[in-house]
Amino acid sequence: MKRILTVQDISCVGKCSLSVALPIISALGSECAVLPTAVLSTHTAFRHFTVRELTEDMRPIREVWDKENITFDAVYTGYLASERQLELAGELCESYPDAFILVDPVMGDFGRLYSGFSADFPKRMKKLCDGADVIMPNLTEAYALLGEEYREGAGTNELRELAKRLCEGGAKIAVITGYEPKDGRCGALKYDSDSGTFFEYTAEKVQTEMPLHGTGDIFASVFAGVACKGMGLDGALAAAVDFTAACVKHTVLDRERRWYGVSFEEVLPRLWEYIK
Ligand code: PXL
């Protein structure tokens, strides 16, 4: 069984980060080890939240793993709460040279950075991305990483160019989520800098009356889990698009849906289809 380490916060209520990664990666048949970077009462889209950063614990935790000879097949980083945490996450990734490194540069959505991130944060996040095998920004994050103004409605050629430029600093593969070629479909676009090839995959776009939080974490967790099952990165991308779309569809139909997160729980059994 593969062991994936995921490095991100735990939001006690809010259905994102570790509360999404743990069930998804486990359901996909890999061991999910965690390095919690912060404990929040609720994620930062709530009006009120507490944050306790666990920055000081990150290195001692890793040192214990070193003493116990614990290693990981993959490291998947998500929400990191500060610039210091970005440095520590970079150090951690470097300490597992054989691990497959996935960086989801969680910083914002819908053209805006999440609450609490400085204007400088994307520049530092870019350094973490540069050491990754795969980075998975949404469009807001892709433009922020390149220090550019967010633009809506980018076409396929513009996104291909963006993905190529995101790899120029050293990341091997860029997967841009929220790709919407103009035909009522939504998905992701991947560029592999080793082979110079692109792969795109979309599902029918489900209209929601409000933006949904946590879809990026669902996407990245499925991608990491399916990739670690050896299904190839195109297969992982297609599974991540399909499953995320199925979760959004389920959320829209869920009469008891919570405004703050995606109703992914009842869709989890479908993950078995991808790996059986
Ligand atoms: O889903 C991304 C995410 C992760 N962690 C925290 C967040 C958010 C998005 O708002 O606030 C704490």
Side-chain angles (χ1 to χ4, degrees), residues 39 72 77 80:
V39 182
F72 303 98
T77 71
L80 297 164

Side-chain angles (χ1 to χ4, degrees), residues 8-11 15-17 40 42-45 78-79 106 114-115 213-217:
Q8 47 187 327
D9 69 281
I10 180 99
S11 288
K15 303 209 260 188
C16 66
S17 319
L40 289 87
T42 40
H43 62 51
T44 62
Y79 181 94
V106 177
Y114 295 133
S115 167
H213 285 274
T215 50
D217 301 338

Side-chain angles (χ1 to χ4, degrees), residues 77-80 103-114 117 121-123 125-126 129 135-151 162 166 175-178 215-217 219-220:
T77 71
Y79 181 94
L80 297 164
V103 173
D104 182 1
V106 177
M107 292 186 290
D109 210 350
F110 317 110
R112 297 182 53 191
L113 293 187
Y114 295 133
F117 289 137
F121 194 80
K123 234 187 281 168
M125 178 64 93
K126 179 70 167 51
C129 288
I135 61 171
M136 293 175 282
N138 61 29
L139 271 170
T140 303
E141 292 154 351
Y143 285 117
L145 286 171
L146 293 170
E148 292 177 13
E149 197 83 4
Y150 172 73
R151 288 192 291 282
L162 209 58
L166 283 167
V175 172
I176 301 183
T177 60
T215 50
D217 301 338
F219 181 94

Side-chain angles (χ1 to χ4, degrees), residues 223 226-227 229-237:
F223 186 92
V226 176
K229 279 291 179 186
M231 312 271 156
L233 297 188
D234 291 354
L237 185 149

Side-chain angles (χ1 to χ4, degrees), residues 242-261:
D242 273 339
F243 185 76
T244 307
C247 290
V248 172
K249 201 168 186 176
H250 191 76
T251 306
V252 169
L253 297 173
D254 180 3
R255 284 163 175 264
E256 289 173 31
R257 71 164 293 233
R258 320 276 191 206
W259 65 265
Y260 52 75

Side-chain angles (χ1 to χ4, degrees), residues 75-190:
V75 178
Y76 149 38
T77 71
Y79 181 94
L80 297 164
S82 63
E83 293 179 9
R84 178 71 187 133
Q85 291 200 350
L86 290 175
E87 282 171 19
L88 288 165
E91 199 178 89
L92 178 115
C93 291
E94 280 172 15
S95 68
Y96 302 113
D98 297 331
F100 184 64
I101 306 292
L102 294 117
V103 173
D104 182 1
V106 177
M107 292 186 290
D109 210 350
F110 317 110
R112 297 182 53 191
L113 293 187
Y114 295 133
S115 167
F117 289 137
S118 70
D120 249 13
F121 194 80
K123 234 187 281 168
R124 312 284 168 105
M125 178 64 93
K126 179 70 167 51
K127 276 183 79 179
L128 181 65
C129 288
D130 289 346
D133 291 300
V134 180
I135 61 171
M136 293 175 282
N138 61 29
L139 271 170
T140 303
E141 292 154 351
Y143 285 117
L145 286 171
L146 293 170
E148 292 177 13
E149 197 83 4
Y150 172 73
R151 288 192 291 282
E152 256 178 59
T156 302
N157 287 341
E158 191 179 342
L159 283 199
R160 285 183 167 204
E161 217 28 60
L162 209 58
K164 265 186 165 175
R165 286 167 51 221
L166 283 167
C167 289
E168 279 170 3
K172 293 201 182 92
I173 292 169
V175 172
I176 301 183
T177 60
Y179 164 60
E180 293 190 20
K182 298 185 178 51
D183 57 353
R185 299 185 69 80
C186 183
L189 177 148
K190 163 176 158 281

